[in-house]
Each structure stands twice: as C-alpha cells, then as structure tokens.
C-alpha cells in the first residue's frame, strides 16, 4: 500500500517553533512525529511513502536521517513559492498514485488509527474517499461529518459554528482514496480538499466515514503539542526513562530524560517533563510540565513551568519562565530574566530584560 503524507504547510499556529522545523519533525517523546508515523505505516502494510512537501521541508527530513530501509520514501514537491493547500499536492502526485487505492495522511496528526483497517473498510464500501472520523467535544475548529448508518457521509462542513455542527465527528486528517479522486481535484492551483472536494463527494454519495475511537491528536497548536507529549509521557513512564547517574536530584514522575543529558545537584525535575538529548541542567533548577528540546542549557536556580523550549536555547541563572511560554530555537535568555505567561521568543533572539506578559498575543519578541 502507498501513502501520501501532506507535510508542506507553514504551521503558522506553531510559531515560533515552526520557524525552524516543519510540523512533521516536531518531537514527541524525543522522537520526530515522522518517526512515529513511519513506525505505524510499517505495521499497517505501507511499503511506499510519498512526502508532499516544499524543498525546505524535504531538506530537513533528509537531515533528520529518518529514512528507513524497509520503507521507500520519495518526494513530490509543491511548485516553488506556490503552496497548493491540502488538495493540490494530491493532484500533483497523481502519476505516482493513480494505479491503486492509497492512503493520504496529514503530517500533523499523532494517532493510533489502524490504516490497514481503514483501507479495508474503504474498499469494502467502494468509496471514492473515506475519511477517518474522531469524536471531540468541540467540533467547531474542524471539518465535521454527518454520518449515515451505512457509513456514508451525508454532509461535510468545514469549521462550522458550534450550533451548525451536524455532529461531534471530525475529520481526523487520515484518508483512504480511490484513484477516481483525481478527477475531482483541479490541476495547477491551490485546492482545499475540505472546502471544495469533500462536500462535492458527499453530495454524490461517494464519501464515507470510518470512526476511530482511540488515540488522536492534532499538533497544530502549541497547547495541543505540549498536551500530547505529556499524555504520551504519562503512558510511557518507566523506571528506565531517566538515567540513573544523578546525585541529589529529585525526579518526580513522569519524566523522560535522554541518556545524554545532565542534571545538577538539588534540582527538581517533574512532574511531566521531557528533556531531549544533550540538555544541561545546572544546580537547584526546577522544571515542571514542560518539553525541553535537545541541546538546551539551563543554569542554576532557574524555574520553568508549563513551557516549550526549542533546541539549543541557552537560559541563564535565576530565570523564571512561566506557563505557555514558547522559546524559539537558539534563543538566549539572560540571567535574572522573568518571562510572564504566554510570552513567545523568536529563534536566536537574545533576551536580557524581563517581559511580564504576552500583552500582544500574536507577537513574538
Ligand atoms: P497553519 O498555518 O498553522 O494553519 O498550519 P498548516 O497550513 O501547515 O496546516 P493545516 O492544518 O492547514 O494543514 C493540514 C496538513 O496539510 C498539514 O500536515 C500541512 O503540512 C499540509 N499542508 C497544508 N498546506 C499545504 C500545502 O500547501 N502543501 C503541502 N504539500 N502540504 C500542505
């Protein structure tokens, strides 16, 4: 089975972390999302993956050395400077996919959907497109489906108001397509699968839904990204999740600390902390409810609570970083700096003075 992975979006809602990495390479439990997706695909009869990306993302995926010998990965590029949305990249990969039914996966979804079962259902009902559906409390941020008893989607509405939503079943960003799908996607322009193609297919009775009850998370926003990391941490917590060589360090489970990281005396790590590779933590540091990516340095007496810290960030002494702060890769936070709730720092920015709160919500300092 072939799978097309859509991973050429800009991930604007994940800035500033997405300024320097595509969503598909955001780490979950210290491994890129793409690693988890490839593992899942291998276990579900996928033997060839086509990454629909821009050149920058392809470069970064290659750098990440995730290529697996037992699964073939090739690339289908969006035209330079011309993102094609969620439909255009499918059409663009037509030559590679036109011979058989195939999977299409959004590259920002962490899920345990059984792709093989999805494909089986799709073929059994003879759909042109089958959308994996997931039940959520508030469907208004997603595409919502009204499902008939026979699995047909009667209506598909993208981002309806809470009142207008026909159900709580949302588009999980995982699809099975028959090659006839290509006839529904105009060539050479940006196309929204959700707004242009799915509504048309549902009118024609050719769109089906496959309900998935298990694990599902869209990492499209930082809050969700942190949440799925900490949820997975709660499942994977174990005695060997942290190196044993620390003296006088209090580890409050669940924590995951890479073997190549170091934590100094009198520090308290956890609960709910992930430290990536080669993180250095000084003395008397406290970290809670946070994801700290690789190569970060955190000096003595600093406190971090509820934040995501990008790769290779340097944080000085006596710093306080509060909830919902996001620090872009390679930023420097000077000694004694206080960052109030929700402050975002741009990649490689030097911050030498305190920032009390994120008054300008969208602003990245
Ligand atoms: P935001 O800017 O934060 O909305 O994110 P996004 O546009 O990257 O993501 P969105 O949720 O809209 O897209 C769903 C999936 O489609 C993601 O995996 C994206 O990477 C992918 N995608 C979105 N636009 C494009 C595009 O123009 N080209 C390609 N190849 N993939 C895309």
């Amino acid at each position: 089975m072939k799978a097309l992975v859509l991973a050429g979006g800009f991930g604007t809602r994940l800035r500033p972390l997405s300024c320097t990495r595509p969503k598909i390479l955001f780490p979950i439990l210290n491994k890129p999302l793409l690693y988890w997706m490839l593992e899942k695909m291998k276990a579900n009869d996928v033997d060839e993956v086509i990454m629909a990306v821009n050149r920058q993302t392809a470069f970064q995926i290659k750098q990440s050395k995730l290529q697996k010998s037992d699964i073939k990965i090739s690339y289908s590029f969006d035209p330079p400077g011309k993102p094609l949305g969620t439909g255009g990249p499918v059409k663009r990969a037509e030559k590679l996919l036109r011979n058989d039914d195939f999977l299409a996966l959004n590259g920002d979804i962490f899920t345990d959907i059984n792709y093989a079962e999805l494909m089986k259902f799709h073929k059994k009902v003879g759909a042109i497109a089958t959308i994996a559906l997931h039940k959520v409390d508030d469907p208004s941020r997603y595409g919502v489906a009204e499902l008939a008893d026979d699995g047909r989607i009667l209506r598909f509405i993208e981002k309806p108001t809470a009142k207008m939503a026909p159900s709580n079943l949302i588009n999980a960003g995982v699809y099975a397509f028959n090659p006839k799908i290509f006839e529904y996607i105009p060539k050479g322009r940006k196309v929204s699968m959700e707004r242009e193609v799915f509504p048309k297919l549902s009118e024609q009775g050719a769109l089906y839904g496959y309900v998935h009850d298990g694990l599902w998370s869209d990492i499209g926003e930082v809050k969700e990204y942190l949440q799925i990391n900490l949820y997975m941490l709660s499942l994977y917590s174990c005695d060997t999740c942290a190196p044993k060589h620390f003296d006088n360090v209090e580890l409050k489970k669940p924590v995951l600390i890479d073997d190549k990281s170091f934590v100094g005396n009198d520090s308290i790590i956890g609960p709910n902390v992930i430290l990536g590779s080669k993180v250095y933590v000084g003395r008397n540091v406290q970290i809670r409810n946070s994801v700290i990516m690789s190569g970060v340095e955190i000096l003595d007496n600093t406190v971090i609570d509820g934040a995501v810290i990008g790769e290779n960030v340097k944080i000085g002494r006596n710093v306080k970083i509060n909830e919902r702060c996001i620090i872009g890769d390679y930023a420097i936070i000077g000694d004694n700096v206080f960052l109030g709730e929700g402050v975002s720092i741009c990649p490689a920015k030097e911050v030498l003075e305190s920032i009390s709160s994120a008054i300008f919500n969208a602003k990245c300092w």
Side-chain angles (χ1 to χ4, degrees):
M1 182 159 64
K2 288 186 185 180
L4 178 73
V5 177
L6 292 168
F10 292 120
T12 50
R13 290 165 297 154
L14 278 175
R15 285 180 189 158
L17 296 166
S18 55
C19 298
T20 41
R21 68 174 63 67
K23 278 199 267 194
I24 195 135
L25 293 181
F26 270 58
I28 295 174
L29 289 186
N30 288 339
K31 294 206 169 74
L33 172 57
L34 180 56
Y35 163 88
W36 297 102
M37 291 180 75
L38 289 172
E39 290 297 302
K40 187 98 208 119
M41 286 191 262
K42 271 195 305 178
N44 279 249
D45 305 339
V46 175
D47 50 14
E48 192 172 341
V49 180
I50 295 137
M51 305 291 308
V53 288
N54 52 52
R55 302 234 162 225
Q56 175 74 23
T57 297
F59 171 75
Q60 286 177 293
I61 290 172
K62 285 177 188 168
Q63 293 283 97
S64 75
K65 300 199 173 70
L66 273 172
Q67 299 267 2
K68 301 264 166 180
S69 51
D70 41 3
I71 195 160
K72 186 181 163 204
I73 301 181
S74 53
Y75 293 87
S76 170
F77 294 109
D78 286 7
K82 247 186 132 190
L84 294 176
T86 48
V90 179
K91 182 73 178 173
R92 204 159 161 91
E94 181 171 356
K95 278 192 192 137
L96 303 168
L97 296 165
R98 67 181 164 204
N99 293 331
D100 205 351
D101 292 82
F102 62 94
L103 292 172
L105 314 175
N106 282 3
D108 53 2
I109 302 295
F110 187 84
T111 178
D112 62 359
I113 289 177
N114 185 321
Y115 302 139
E117 287 297 318
L118 166 68
M119 183 55 83
K120 215 157 114 188
F121 171 85
H122 165 80
K123 286 187 172 169
K124 194 179 88 191
V125 295
I128 294 182
T130 303
I131 306 179
L133 301 173
H134 185 71
K135 202 174 245 177
V136 296
D137 292 336
D138 175 13
S140 59
R141 289 169 42 214
Y142 304 96
V144 185
E146 182 181 347
L147 195 63
D149 289 344
D150 65 354
R152 221 175 274 248
I153 293 179
L154 302 174
R155 274 192 303 158
F156 184 87
I157 309 174
E158 185 65 8
K159 298 190 179 68
T161 58
K163 269 192 193 153
M164 294 297 288
S167 77
N168 277 13
L169 290 172
I170 59 136
N171 173 3
V174 174
Y175 317 100
F177 291 146
N178 179 274
K180 285 200 188 99
I181 193 83
F182 296 117
E183 295 165 23
Y184 290 79
I185 312 173
K187 200 177 173 182
R189 69 162 170 90
K190 196 170 184 170
V191 179
S192 164
M193 231 38 191
E194 299 81 1
R195 292 182 193 279
E196 297 180 55
V197 180
F198 294 154
K200 199 177 287 174
L201 284 170
S202 75
E203 273 168 28
Q204 296 180 5
L207 186 66
Y208 282 73
Y210 170 88
V211 178
H212 168 67
D213 290 328
L215 180 65
W216 183 85
S217 171
D218 167 0
I219 66 153
E221 292 180 16
V222 178
K223 186 175 156 221
E224 292 156 331
Y225 170 67
L226 185 57
Q227 242 170 25
I228 186 64
N229 263 288
L230 300 188
Y231 175 72
M232 290 302 289
L233 181 64
S234 73
L235 298 183
Y236 279 68
S237 175
C238 58
D239 287 337
T240 52
C241 288
K244 299 224 175 349
H245 55 263
F246 302 143
D247 294 327
N248 294 325
V249 171
E250 190 177 342
L251 299 178
K252 292 187 176 174
K253 287 183 183 182
V255 292
L256 170 61
I257 302 181
D258 185 271
D259 273 350
K260 295 196 183 98
S261 289
F262 174 83
V263 182
N265 287 354
D266 304 320
S267 290
I268 305 174
I269 310 295
N272 304 316
V273 170
I274 299 173
L275 299 188
S277 180
K278 297 182 187 165
V279 171
Y280 172 86
V281 177
R283 288 164 167 251
N284 192 34
V285 169
Q286 293 180 40
I287 310 176
R288 288 182 289 273
N289 306 322
S290 297
V291 170
I292 315 288
M293 295 188 190
S294 299
V296 171
E297 178 183 279
I298 303 165
L299 299 186
D300 303 352
N301 307 321
T302 281
V303 177
I304 300 174
D305 190 358
V308 182
I309 313 290
E311 277 176 35
N312 296 304
V313 168
K314 287 189 187 303
I315 301 171
R317 293 179 173 74
N318 305 312
V319 170
K320 174 89 172 68
I321 299 181
N322 281 291
E323 281 182 22
R324 295 185 291 107
C325 282
I326 308 154
I327 316 293
D329 294 354
Y330 287 92
I332 295 178
I333 314 295
D335 292 348
N336 306 312
V337 163
F338 172 93
L339 298 182
E341 278 188 30
V343 170
S344 290
I345 304 295
C346 287
K349 181 89 183 172
E350 288 187 41
V351 180
L352 303 177
E353 285 177 18
S354 296
I355 302 170
S356 59
S357 67
I359 307 165
F360 307 108
N361 221 354
K363 183 166 176 175
C364 180
W365 295 83

